[in-house]
Amino acid sequence: MKKIFVINAGSSSLKFQLLDMPQENSIISGIFEHIGAGTMQFKWTSYRQKESVILPLCTHQEAVDYLLTYIVEKQFVNSLDEIDGVGHRVVHGGELFTHAVCITDDVMQKIENLSFLAPSHNPVNIMGIKAFSHALPKSQQVAVFDTAFHHTLMPEYYTYPLPAVYRERYALRKYGFHGISHHYIGQQVAELMRAQGEWRDDLKVISCHLGNGASICAMRNGQSINTSMGLTPLAGLMMGTRSGDIDPSILPFLMKEEQLSIDDMTDILNKQSGLLAVSQISHDVRHIQEAYFNGDADAVLAISMFVNRIAQTIASSLIDLGGLDVLVFTAGIGENSVLIRQLVIEKLACLGLFVNSSANEQGQVFIHNEKSCAKIAVIPTNEEIMIAQETLAILSAI
Ligand code: ADP
């Protein structure tokens, strides 16, 4: 048995989970929020307790040091030497990292060099890695990349129709994200189908990860064939605050007319667009749904646009796969919004996909009806378990 920490470091937050592997038992999980603001909030849950406190701490390193002292004091571990490995979610692995790897100085340098592709993610991931390497020098640090699962995409899916000189100079191509989640969903579907005696090695699955960030992945035989995000997580579906795909000419037009800087434009596309911009209410589907049911025109438009883009992307994924066995909804919206699932599936009737509305409302695993040409499932994602599994595999191979 091994104890593995799973770490997801963001610019102002640090999510963690300590697990016993391979049993997948969570010992403690939680989050530090408002890092950098002067005081931070520390929330955690274990099987026996829940707590939330404000701490007079500022940096990622201080949060990590606090956490490691805390778990010994509270006897979640007897000593830090019990922690065998730390699995870090790293957002961008570029073309260099197609699998999880042990972190060495060389790997750190390469992750740092890839920061130009993910400036708001890779530098903070490195901060998390440095903080844990410093505090736990005896534990093996492992990097698990959100892009790696999509390394199986063929050139016809990952190439942008731009001049070769720029593509080559800047490694411009579709990388795709949410790979850890889509990989986990692929495994869960395979297990579900095995349990039903319906597993085949060319299983065609479309995974819809619908959270604040949202992406769709077409998978065959457990491998990524195509996915909706691109060089960055801004591409593809309309999201909570991200525009997703829009006519690229809008960028130079707006920048010129409004005298916007590159940073202004990047902020508009990533933080001021999507569901928030259209609904003019919130980025959160729960709030938009309330207004939708009250007939608010902007909420109706936002939900319709969100649903249309999802349905269109499912349809194009179906073409990429040449068929479909299982359509999956996952992440915050996919797991919880009866309305979004219902509307998306209703749009797909022309492709032979049909919802069982009462199964959908009751939160059952399978929500298709007997007429549907493919199964439709709601499966909770668990990126932490996937990272812990990949970290364990690396530790076991050393
Ligand atoms: P993240 O991308 O931040 O990990 P999550 O997968 O946690 O996001 O999804 C968060 C989003 O899920 C919320 O912003 C909200 O839009 C949506 N959500 C959560 N619960 C519900 C619910 N009960 N009904 C509808 N939407 C929900």
Side-chain angles (χ1 to χ4, degrees):
M1 192 167 78
K2 297 214 185 284
K3 286 198 180 357
I4 293 181
F5 244 127
V6 172
I7 302 302
N8 187 350
S11 52
S12 63
S13 70
L14 188 126
K15 281 192 212 160
F16 65 90
Q17 186 162 9
L18 181 63
L19 299 112
D20 271 328
M21 293 296 287
Q23 293 81 350
E24 300 181 357
N25 289 333
S26 177
I27 302 167
I28 175 172
S29 66
I31 185 167
F32 289 87
E33 289 176 302
H34 317 304
I35 295 180
T39 57
M40 59 179 85
Q41 182 153 30
F42 174 43
K43 293 190 239 174
W44 63 267
T45 313
S46 74
Y47 71 95
R48 53 174 197 228
Q49 217 179 331
K50 241 184 188 185
E51 224 174 271
S52 175
V53 283
I54 304 281
L55 302 170
L57 303 176
C58 193
T59 65
H60 283 80
Q61 184 71 57
E62 285 171 346
V64 172
D65 292 340
Y66 183 89
L67 173 64
L68 294 176
T69 307
Y70 194 78
I71 58 170
V72 178
E73 257 172 27
K74 292 274 176 179
Q75 296 181 335
F76 288 109
V77 290
N78 296 316
S79 118
L80 295 179
D81 291 343
E82 286 177 20
I83 298 167
D84 299 284
V86 185
H88 297 267
R89 174 174 183 251
V90 177
V91 167
H92 220 305
E95 286 179 317
L96 293 175
F97 296 107
T98 56
H99 296 96
V101 291
C102 276
I103 297 174
T104 60
D105 288 345
D106 179 52
V107 166
M108 286 271 274
Q109 189 56 55
K110 286 179 172 144
I111 295 173
E112 202 147 11
N113 293 346
L114 288 166
S115 292
F116 77 102
L117 289 171
S120 48
H121 293 107
N122 276 26
V124 283
N125 297 154
I126 289 172
M127 219 140 60
I129 294 170
K130 283 187 177 156
F132 273 89
S133 307
H134 181 255
L136 290 176
K138 289 193 203 147
S139 305
Q140 183 63 57
Q141 311 287 319
V142 172
V144 183
F145 298 91
D146 217 18
T147 45
F149 181 62
H150 303 296
H151 81 275
T152 45
L153 258 61
M154 302 290 281
E156 68 199 85
Y157 291 122
Y158 72 63
T159 307
Y160 288 124
L162 290 169
V165 58
Y166 301 129
R167 280 189 273 126
E168 284 158 19
R169 189 175 298 160
Y170 301 108
L172 297 183
R173 51 163 283 179
K174 177 187 278 195
Y175 290 99
F177 297 86
H178 289 146
I180 297 165
S181 172
H182 292 307
H183 189 180
Y184 178 80
I185 292 299
Q187 286 187 355
Q188 293 299 109
V189 170
E191 263 175 43
L192 262 179
M193 295 298 270
R194 241 180 233 117
Q196 303 212 328
E198 293 186 51
W199 184 81
R200 294 198 318 269
D201 63 4
D202 69 339
L203 212 57
K204 299 180 184 82
V205 178
I206 297 177
S207 160
C208 303
H209 178 113
L210 309 177
N212 284 320
S215 75
I216 291 184
C217 181
M219 295 181 270
R220 192 188 306 120
N221 194 10
Q223 294 197 330
S224 176
I225 301 296
N226 199 2
T227 190
S228 59
M229 284 178 169
L231 175 80
T232 72
L234 180 58
L237 304 176
M238 174 177 163
M239 307 177 214
T241 59
R242 291 178 224 161
S243 64
D245 292 347
I246 56 168
D247 181 342
S249 300
I250 294 171
L251 276 68
F253 172 81
L254 261 188
M255 288 173 80
K256 184 161 167 257
E257 293 298 319
E258 294 283 319
Q259 306 284 303
L260 299 172
S261 67
I262 293 171
D263 284 349
D264 293 337
M265 196 67 238
T266 307
D267 193 75
I268 290 171
L269 293 172
N270 282 284
K271 299 193 177 146
Q272 303 175 38
S273 298
L275 288 165
L276 171 68
V278 181
S279 71
Q280 301 185 54
I281 295 168
S282 166
H283 70 278
D284 191 316
V285 166
R286 282 167 289 201
H287 302 143
I288 305 172
Q289 277 180 180
E290 266 179 50
Y292 172 96
F293 287 120
N294 289 329
D296 180 280
D298 292 327
V300 171
L301 178 64
I303 296 268
S304 305
M305 288 168 61
F306 186 60
V307 165
N308 285 348
R309 185 65 66 82
I310 295 166
Q312 287 160 359
T313 309
I314 292 169
S316 69
S317 303
L318 201 142
I319 290 169
D320 294 337
L321 292 175
L324 177 64
D325 295 304
V326 190
L327 171 66
V328 182
F329 289 90
T330 192
I333 302 166
E335 290 166 29
N336 296 299
S337 176
V338 174
L339 175 73
I340 298 292
R341 292 193 303 254
Q342 181 81 21
L343 294 177
V344 168
I345 305 167
E346 282 174 2
K347 280 249 154 200
L348 296 167
C350 57
L351 297 177
L353 290 157
F354 296 101
V355 64
N356 173 339
S357 300
S358 54
N360 185 32
E361 274 161 34
Q362 287 160 17
Q364 294 184 16
V365 177
F366 287 110
I367 59 167
H368 55 279
N369 72 17
E370 68 294 341
K371 281 196 298 176
S372 188
C373 65
K375 292 183 193 302
I376 308 176
V378 181
I379 302 178
T381 193
N382 196 329
E383 289 162 293
E384 288 75 20
I385 294 276
M386 197 68 233
I387 295 172
Q389 282 179 7
E390 298 221 28
T391 303
L392 179 67
I394 297 255
L395 295 185
S396 310
I398 293 174

